[in-house]
Amino acid sequence: MHTRHPSDPRISAGIVALAAIALLIGGAFAGLLFEGAHDFSGAWAAFDPYLLRVVRFTLWQAALSTLLSVGPALFVARALSRHPRFLGRAFILQLFAVPLALPAIVAALGILALYGRAGYFAGVLTMIGGGSWPGIYGLSGILVAHVFFNLPLAARLFLEALQTIPADQWRLASQLGMGARPAYRLIEWPTLRASLPGVAGLVFMLCITSFTIVLTLGGGPAATTLEVGIYQALRFDFDPARAVTLTLLQIALTFVVALALTRLGANAVGDTSLPVAPRRYLSVSGTETSLNVVLIVLALVFVVGPMAATVMAGLGADLGRLAGEAAVRQATLTSVVLAFLSALLSVMLSLALTMARRALALARRAGARTLLEHATDTGAGFVLVVPPIVIGAGWFLLLRHVGAVFAIAPAMVVSVNAVMAMPFALRAVRPAYDAASERHERLCEQLGIAGWNRLMLVDWPSLRRPLATAFAFAMALSLGDLGVIALFGSDSVQTLPYLLLARMGSYRTEDAAGLALLLGLVCLALIMAAHWLGREKNRDA
């Protein structure tokens, strides 16, 4: 019924957005291929025992992190599912969503404040160990940080799966007098088992592409992953050949994991919203209730601990002096400006792809989707295969031949962070635009309303809140990112995460704690604004 000529301005906007994404990623690959062809022997020589050790550690820490995150998450999700209504349950779920909003470097400082050599638990750990506590740098620190981030995410995804179990099954189990163990074996476990590969794959993907955590908590060459190796090869050793080899291996690993995620049907973004808990018909025994309370409390303490330590350490810093430092004010201004521009670009690209996808779908009468329609639908997801540090490394190698590596830092930070936030922005924008198009498409065709007039007069009322949600979320992600600025940052271009890392490197821990508190509060405020706007949008709908 609906037909659109290929000259539809929505399709043109989508083509421009795809071209921008292709230019960003294609430029990175061009830099890698050019450098590899220029020094092929050096790139081949990089396959040495050190490289094999880095690859082995990358896979090992990701596998351990996945096991330690997903295993306990199964039990925590089941405990929360068995008790759908108790005082504070909603608050606990909201706390479990906080790690998704915290910048990785802020969480790393919180973990150091708890478990570091001079941390709050250092005395207790010294007594337990019978000697001086060496701190938590190395594999142990990486694992603790990854579990802090991924256990709440996995628990929420498992809980979301459990809440899809039909109420009729619980009612029938209650009528049959089924106990907790057979209910778990016959009702809960099949659902958890179906979602387990996808959740585990998603966590593994997040751990294998973890950069900031490994950079701040790795503690040396023995705990180096591929992404940190890329950063070290470019910023410290300046070994472009090794950087090319590491980057290509990182791309290969992430591609394999992303392909596996697609086959498993995993949610590559990770939704932070949960439906209302359904009624349960099975009674829970006192022993099981006690065990569930212990599980929930332990998980809550583990998640809240680093956040509380961040706040306490930050309040102990001289915040007034930090606020008066010119470097801090400049880094804050730079962070806000770059994050604002990045969020704006991310929202514009996401909206363009969403509109083009809808227009192409309406123009297609029948048959398979065209290549262009497929690209507008999945093009943004391709960026999940290429981590920010990989794109930054490619452009770093490409631009070093023209002598403008650090001068172009703002543009690189804005563009890479914008593209990396697109999968999250699309989740907010696409459903609202499709619903608005379903209501108004035929009327717009009959009245000849298109382009800018249609966007402002017809689509804008429905898109205002989703776009604000996407903007706030993208700005929070960009504000706390360290991946690209770690490569392109300099004394003249510093963001808050970059300055925070520099203060940590110079052992100014109190200053770093104060900066972490500031950065964490701003990011959390943006995420809360995004969630509030999302709830208001759903309420209006």
Side-chain angles (χ1 to χ4, degrees):
M1 187 70 183
H2 299 290
T3 60
R4 278 285 179 183
H5 191 270
S7 62
D8 189 325
R10 293 180 294 177
I11 299 177
S12 301
I15 293 175
V16 172
L18 285 174
I21 298 172
L23 176 62
L24 181 67
I25 299 178
F29 277 99
L32 294 172
L33 295 176
F34 178 79
E35 190 64 38
H38 179 70
D39 191 7
F40 179 79
S41 60
W44 181 256
F47 285 94
D48 54 13
Y50 170 78
L51 178 62
L52 296 179
R53 187 167 67 249
V54 170
V55 174
R56 185 167 58 248
F57 181 80
T58 301
L59 296 173
W60 177 239
Q61 62 84 23
L64 283 179
S65 298
T66 302
L67 180 63
L68 295 175
S69 300
V70 174
L74 284 168
F75 298 99
V76 174
R78 181 180 179 273
L80 289 169
S81 176
R82 282 298 180 99
H83 303 278
R85 292 180 177 86
F86 62 85
L87 183 62
R89 185 180 188 273
F91 180 68
I92 291 175
L93 292 177
Q94 290 176 355
L95 285 177
F96 276 13
V98 170
L100 300 175
L102 274 183
I105 193 169
V106 174
L109 277 176
I111 290 171
L112 286 176
L114 274 183
Y115 309 108
R117 185 175 300 177
Y120 295 112
F121 291 162
V124 177
L125 295 171
T126 298
M127 293 175 57
I128 295 175
S132 62
W133 173 244
I136 200 171
Y137 284 106
L139 178 61
S140 58
I142 294 171
L143 294 179
V144 170
H146 281 167
V147 175
F148 166 77
F149 278 108
N150 296 313
L151 187 151
L153 171 63
R156 291 176 65 87
L157 293 177
F158 284 133
L159 181 59
E160 185 177 351
L162 288 172
Q163 290 177 348
T164 62
I165 298 175
D168 292 343
Q169 294 189 16
W170 293 111
R171 187 182 297 109
L172 179 61
S174 177
Q175 293 172 353
L176 295 175
M178 190 177 294
R181 184 171 299 179
Y184 173 75
R185 181 170 56 88
L186 298 175
I187 299 177
E188 293 172 317
W189 173 240
T191 301
L192 292 173
R193 183 178 56 193
S195 60
L196 179 60
V199 175
L202 173 61
V203 173
F204 188 84
M205 179 73 164
L206 294 174
C207 295
I208 208 174
T209 57
S210 176
F211 170 72
T212 305
I213 291 297
V214 182
L215 180 65
T216 54
L217 296 176
T224 298
T225 58
L226 286 170
E227 292 201 0
V228 175
I230 296 168
Y231 168 74
Q232 292 173 344
L234 292 178
R235 288 302 299 260
F236 294 102
D237 304 330
F238 196 72
D239 188 350
R242 181 175 293 278
V244 169
T245 304
L246 291 168
T247 303
L248 293 178
L249 284 174
Q250 178 68 39
I251 293 173
L253 283 177
T254 52
F255 178 79
V256 170
V257 176
L259 182 62
L261 281 175
T262 303
R263 293 293 182 90
L264 294 171
N267 180 2
V269 174
D271 196 0
T272 59
S273 61
L274 288 169
V276 177
R279 179 183 174 187
R280 290 287 183 263
Y281 295 90
L282 290 181
S283 60
V284 182
S285 66
T287 302
E288 184 185 0
T289 299
S290 300
L291 291 175
N292 290 339
V293 169
V294 171
L295 280 173
I296 295 172
V297 170
L298 287 177
L300 186 61
V301 170
F302 182 80
V303 172
V304 172
M307 294 187 288
T310 300
V311 174
M312 293 173 62
L315 293 176
D318 191 348
L319 298 178
R321 178 181 57 80
L322 281 176
E325 288 188 16
V328 174
R329 293 200 303 269
Q330 182 61 41
T332 303
L333 178 61
T334 301
S335 294
V336 172
V337 171
L338 294 182
F340 179 88
L341 295 175
S342 177
L344 183 62
L345 179 60
S346 180
V347 168
M348 292 172 60
L349 292 174
S350 300
L351 181 59
L353 289 181
T354 298
M355 294 190 301
R357 168 184 169 272
R358 179 65 177 172
L360 289 167
L362 293 173
R364 173 171 48 89
R365 291 180 178 273
R369 296 189 301 175
T370 63
L371 180 61
L372 180 59
E373 184 181 352
H374 184 74
T376 57
D377 188 21
T378 61
F382 182 74
V383 302
L384 297 175
V385 183
V386 189
I389 192 69
V390 171
I391 298 179
W395 278 96
F396 189 97
L397 294 171
L398 184 65
L399 294 172
R400 77 184 187 93
H401 296 287
V402 297
V405 173
F406 298 107
I408 203 171
M412 289 305 306
V413 172
V414 168
S415 56
V416 174
N417 286 343
V419 172
M420 290 302 161
M422 282 181 60
F424 300 92
L426 283 169
R427 291 180 64 87
V429 175
R430 181 178 291 177
Y433 184 82
D434 288 349
S437 174
E438 191 70 28
R439 293 193 300 267
H440 306 304
E441 192 69 34
R442 180 176 298 180
L443 180 62
C444 290
E445 287 184 4
Q446 293 174 348
L447 298 179
I449 303 176
W452 181 258
N453 289 332
R454 169 176 175 159
L455 178 62
M456 297 307 299
L457 297 177
V458 178
D459 296 329
W460 176 250
S462 300
L463 293 176
R464 184 172 62 248
R465 286 193 177 276
L467 287 175
T469 301
F471 183 88
F473 204 92
M475 189 170 177
L477 292 177
S478 303
L479 196 65
D481 182 71
L482 184 62
V484 182
I485 195 64
L487 280 177
F488 290 91
S490 62
D491 292 338
S492 58
V493 181
Q494 292 186 344
T495 61
L496 273 177
Y498 187 88
L499 182 62
L500 201 161
L501 182 65
R503 296 292 170 92
M504 289 180 62
S506 59
Y507 300 101
R508 300 171 64 177
T509 54
E510 288 190 1
D511 288 357
L515 293 174
L517 179 60
L518 171 63
L519 180 60
L521 289 177
V522 173
C523 290
L524 284 177
L526 288 170
I527 292 295
M528 290 175 62
H531 284 207
W532 177 78
L533 289 168
R535 287 196 298 269
E536 288 296 319
K537 173 195 69 175
N538 295 333
R539 189 179 305 167
D540 294 343

